Amino acid sequence: MSTNVLRTAEGWWAVRGDRAVPVDTKAVTTAELVADRAAVREAAASDQEGTPVADLVALSPVTTPCRVVAQMVNYRSHARDSGFSGDIPPAFFRKASGSVSGPGEAIVRPSHVKFLDYEIELGLVMGASLPVGTVVEEPDLPAYVAGLVITNDVSARDVQLTKTQFYESKSYPTFTPTGPYLALLEPADFALLIDLRLRLTVNGELRQDRTLADMIVRPAQALTLLARFQTLDPGDLLLTGTPGGTALKAPPKPVEKIGALLPPAVKWKAFFKSQARNPHYLRADDVITATISTPDGRIALGEQRTPVTDAHRSRGE
């Protein structure tokens, strides 16, 4: 059965229900922790009473610097929302690891960003090196993936679309909330991945709700495709795509065809004028709640609860 691990400023904790026991380890980074599974198992089996989880301030269980790689359009529902039809070529992009933030830390919207969007994603945390050329079959996943985390691929859509710039639009500080838990998996747990349900709400309103059965390219195939050109190391993070339900949706086909005939400046001005009426983009004081778990709770990654603020507020202006 998976073991949930929490990271605080004081170190690593093995979570047991609503209490946590400190892990006796010298590990500072996530890579070092996943190499010291014996210490995690010992803490999880300890008879210590532990500390209430509610009394701990969780940091991201993925330490930085590390590689942060993401899959693009990897759920059928998201593909429909994005206006795709037919086969979608698998695609990846990088995020700056400086965007990784804690599970309760505020998402800070830069002052020049008007259309801020959310994307709940299952994060795979690597437990072993993935050299270029590696082929990963389903039974091989436990040899490469140490555990799972909740991530939110926050996106500045006006930067992403007008500049066709994924790296910038998704890499601002606080744009990858991660955690609270790193669920370290046992080999038998990998059979449960297909049952994981991703749910995201904004101010209590359900926006995203799908299981991995909606996924187009599943983890083993994704790692194989990624390994054609990218090495991964222990502690690196792969975001595996988001379900439908994000604020951004493709315009109707007739509108899209008309837009393609317009000069880019005119097209984007018209598009964002229509998007300004969309109430689903994130605003200051919104609160995003994200969970990922199996129905039986055998894998449960905790609850990520992140407020949204504007850059001038975070600076105290």
Side-chain angles (χ1 to χ4, degrees):
M1 185 173 178
S2 63
T3 303
N4 283 341
V5 178
L6 188 72
R7 185 171 76 96
T8 70
E10 292 74 37
W12 301 93
W13 305 72
V15 178
R16 301 185 315 205
D18 61 355
R19 305 186 78 84
V21 174
V23 178
D24 184 12
T25 180
K26 294 181 180 179
V28 175
T29 67
T30 303
E32 292 168 343
L33 179 80
V34 300
D36 196 6
R37 291 286 290 267
V40 175
R41 292 188 179 104
E42 184 177 345
S46 167
D47 58 4
Q48 294 183 50
E49 182 180 355
T51 300
V53 171
D55 292 347
L56 300 175
V57 179
L59 304 176
S60 165
V62 176
T63 57
T64 57
C66 66
R67 294 184 184 90
V68 182
V69 184
Q71 290 177 258
M72 185 175 71
V73 191
N74 195 37
Y75 281 73
R76 294 174 183 85
S77 53
H78 190 210
R80 289 192 296 270
D81 282 356
S82 302
F84 289 97
S85 59
D87 293 335
I88 302 170
F92 300 89
F93 58 90
R94 287 287 293 270
K95 298 188 68 162
S97 67
S99 68
V100 173
S101 54
E105 192 175 340
I107 296 167
V108 179
R109 179 175 67 171
S111 57
H112 62 282
V113 172
K114 293 184 174 62
F115 299 97
L116 191 68
D117 209 348
Y118 49 85
E119 295 188 11
I120 185 175
E121 307 208 10
L122 176 68
L124 307 183
V125 177
M126 302 302 294
S129 293
L130 182 81
V132 169
T134 302
V135 174
V136 182
E137 304 290 349
E138 290 290 339
D140 302 328
L141 275 175
Y144 296 101
V145 176
L148 312 173
V149 290
I150 300 171
T151 62
N152 186 353
D153 180 23
V154 179
S155 305
R157 298 301 193 191
D158 29 0
V159 176
Q160 177 186 343
L161 296 176
T162 58
K163 299 173 72 172
T164 61
Q165 178 54 268
F166 277 72
Y167 187 73
E168 178 184 345
S169 67
K170 294 167 175 282
S171 287
Y172 294 100
T174 73
F175 272 31
T176 314
T178 303
Y181 299 150
L182 165 59
L184 294 176
L185 303 183
E186 299 296 337
D189 295 322
F190 285 84
L192 305 176
L193 295 189
I194 193 69
D195 297 324
L196 286 169
R197 180 171 290 276
L198 288 67
R199 288 172 55 88
L200 180 143
T201 68
V202 178
N203 303 327
E205 178 188 2
L206 184 63
R207 300 283 181 85
Q208 295 181 279
D209 184 12
R210 286 290 192 282
T211 70
L212 262 65
D214 189 37
M215 189 178 273
I216 298 169
V217 177
R218 294 181 182 172
Q221 183 186 2
L223 291 175
T224 298
L225 293 171
L226 188 58
R228 291 182 303 182
F229 61 91
Q230 173 73 75
T231 295
L232 293 179
D233 290 314
D236 286 345
L237 178 62
L238 172 62
L239 281 59
T240 57
T242 196
T246 60
L248 178 67
K249 291 180 175 59
K253 288 296 182 183
V255 174
E256 188 175 356
K257 289 179 179 179
I258 293 171
L261 302 175
L262 300 174
V266 176
K267 176 182 71 173
W268 290 124
K269 183 177 180 179
F271 177 76
F272 285 117
K273 183 177 180 180
S274 70
Q275 291 298 295
R277 298 189 292 271
N278 182 343
H280 285 179
Y281 286 105
L282 297 170
R283 295 170 174 80
D285 300 321
D286 284 345
V287 177
I288 305 166
T289 303
T291 60
I292 301 178
S293 65
T294 57
D296 59 7
R298 283 184 59 185
I299 301 176
L301 307 186
E303 180 180 89
Q304 184 182 108
R305 189 174 175 84
T306 47
V308 179
T309 191
D310 288 336
H312 68 275
R313 287 195 187 183
S314 69
R315 294 193 299 265
E317 297 175 5

